[in-house]
Amino acid sequence: MGQRLICCLDAPSALQPPPLLPVRRKLLLLGIMLFLWLYMFYSCAGSCASVPGLGARAAAAAAGETGGAHGGGLQVLSKLLRRAPAGAAKGLAGPAAASPPEPREEQSAAPDPTSPISSFFNGSGTKKLPQAIIIGVKKGGTRALLEFLRVHPDIRAVGAEPHFFDRNYERGLAWYRDLMPRTLDGQITMEKTPSYFVTKEAPARISAMSKGTRLIVVVRDPVTRAISDYTQTLSKKPDIPTFESLTFKNRTTGLIDTSWSAIQIGIYAKHLENWLLYFPIGQILFVSGERLISDPAGELGRVQDFLGLKRIITDKHFYFNKTKGFPCLKKAEGSSKPHCLGKTKGRTHPNIDQEVVQRLREFYRPFNMKFYQMTGHDFGWD
């Protein structure tokens, strides 16, 4: 009997609890994953707050999902990544943060690099005053140039025209800086407002912000530019007088009305004189609006050189759209789809009396010659 009892005591009992090792492993794994999730959550808390609804969902996940499956943290992270645009994850390691893709080719506005989700993935960047500005001219091709430049990973630009140095200057530089997209080290902040070129106060104001600001002017045959300007106004106000009647102060004498903005903008030499009071000619790049259509890669090469950037935008980025009559991007910024400027670009010009066109060419000729001398570049408008 005693031996039987001793034997029983020495043998493992079926009533003993199982080893605690598997439970400890699960608890340890859960603790590690929870720690990693909380680390990621607090690391991006500031950026997450700028994404509508994202902060609330993350907070709810922190409160509720910790009590569920131990994969909750990874699920939240995967949701964030799935909500990001294609290529956005590259912004974590590369210089360029991608923007939301475009739904179709005809969309007029390119993806906005200042979108909340883009700011989230580019959270380490800072908002800076622009180092380069496209200052003109209206109906010269400034929108096309800006959209083409935004393909470059080292260029971050505001999509809308800020009009700071002509209409909103009283708001102050802090307001202006806040409009800018976030940039990383080595990236250039840009904006474009073509009315700056003809605004008398703009050169002094930009110089006061930074004397080193690089300026880009897209110029076009002033006669064609004036007709394009009129065509845009006509599309908004169909009842305006004819182009011919607006061109002259007196049709009989043939005196040109230089007070009409469509005519006045094209006197490039006059406006340039004002800019040269504050900036050396070498700090201003003049882009040909005509060559921006016939050879976009060539003109973009000049711009990239001027900005001190590697020539990344080349022929492979463009295709010619025969319907619109100008080049389009094969892939827009942050998108895998082609992108052309919208329907407001490339409008059909009305037929203008050729005598009026010839009179305008004669009017602009001396101003064009002076402009060629000032810039050291013959644009071939005559």
Side-chain angles (χ1 to χ4, degrees), residues 312-344:
I312 290 178
I313 307 172
T314 61
D315 284 324
K316 67 181 181 181
H317 289 89
F318 302 98
Y319 75 95
F320 191 81
N321 187 307
K322 295 181 180 179
T323 302
K324 289 182 171 292
F326 51 73
C328 301
L329 289 169
K330 290 181 180 177
K331 292 182 181 180
E333 178 200 17
S335 173
S336 60
K337 298 180 180 180
H339 172 67
C340 278
L341 299 182
K343 296 179 180 179
T344 60

Side-chain angles (χ1 to χ4, degrees), residues 35-302:
F35 171 78
L36 291 174
W37 185 87
L38 289 174
Y39 176 79
M40 289 185 290
F41 175 78
Y42 285 108
S43 295
C44 70
S47 298
C48 292
S50 66
V51 183
L54 187 59
R57 286 195 298 274
E65 292 195 21
T66 54
H70 59 266
L74 294 178
Q75 292 173 0
V76 173
L77 181 59
S78 66
K79 289 177 183 178
L80 295 181
L81 293 176
R82 283 198 300 271
R83 291 176 61 85
K90 295 180 181 178
L92 294 171
S99 300
E102 294 185 81
R104 59 184 182 275
E105 177 180 328
E106 295 300 326
Q107 184 170 332
S108 60
D112 185 4
T114 60
S115 65
I117 194 67
S118 180
S119 297
F120 168 72
F121 280 99
N122 196 23
S124 60
T126 56
K127 293 189 175 186
K128 302 174 184 177
L129 291 170
Q131 297 102 320
I133 304 176
I134 301 174
I135 59 173
V137 298
K138 180 183 178 183
K139 307 308 296 180
T142 58
R143 172 55 60 183
L145 178 61
L146 183 70
E147 297 307 313
F148 295 164
L149 283 175
R150 291 173 78 178
V151 174
H152 200 293
D154 291 334
I155 292 178
R156 302 284 289 161
V158 181
E161 297 174 3
H163 283 281
F164 175 65
F165 295 104
D166 57 353
R167 302 177 189 172
N168 297 301
Y169 194 65
E170 72 283 352
R171 293 176 179 265
L173 286 174
W175 176 87
Y176 184 48
R177 181 189 290 109
D178 194 53
L179 297 178
M180 300 299 123
R182 294 183 180 276
T183 54
L184 302 174
D185 290 341
Q187 289 183 316
I188 292 178
T189 302
M190 289 188 68
E191 71 113 321
K192 80 105 176 171
T193 305
S195 56
Y196 290 162
F197 189 64
V198 298
T199 300
K200 186 177 180 180
E201 299 81 11
R205 290 172 175 177
I206 294 178
S207 178
M209 176 188 72
S210 173
K211 293 182 181 298
T213 305
R214 299 179 217 184
L215 309 174
I216 300 174
V217 187
V218 187
V219 289
R220 182 184 184 187
D221 182 334
V223 177
T224 308
R225 197 221 66 82
I227 297 173
S228 180
D229 198 337
Y230 172 79
T231 303
Q232 182 182 55
T233 305
L234 184 65
S235 68
K236 300 175 182 178
K237 302 177 181 179
D239 57 343
I240 62 172
T242 64
F243 180 87
E244 291 83 353
S245 62
L246 291 171
T247 298
F248 299 101
K249 284 185 176 180
N250 188 314
R251 181 71 181 268
T252 304
T253 61
L255 183 63
I256 302 294
D257 187 358
T258 56
S259 66
W260 184 30
S261 64
I263 299 296
Q264 196 260 348
I265 291 173
I267 309 176
Y268 302 140
K270 175 183 176 182
H271 305 300
L272 181 56
E273 287 177 344
N274 190 30
W275 287 90
L276 294 180
L277 296 175
Y278 299 89
F279 294 94
I281 193 69
Q283 207 166 313
I284 308 175
L285 179 68
F286 300 91
V287 175
S288 167
E290 287 82 12
R291 280 195 290 276
L292 199 56
I293 295 175
S294 63
D295 182 20
E299 285 301 283
L300 265 293
R302 294 180 59 240

Side-chain angles (χ1 to χ4, degrees), residues 1-9:
M1 180 71 180
Q3 292 177 350
R4 190 178 303 160
L5 179 60
I6 293 173
C7 179
C8 293
L9 290 174

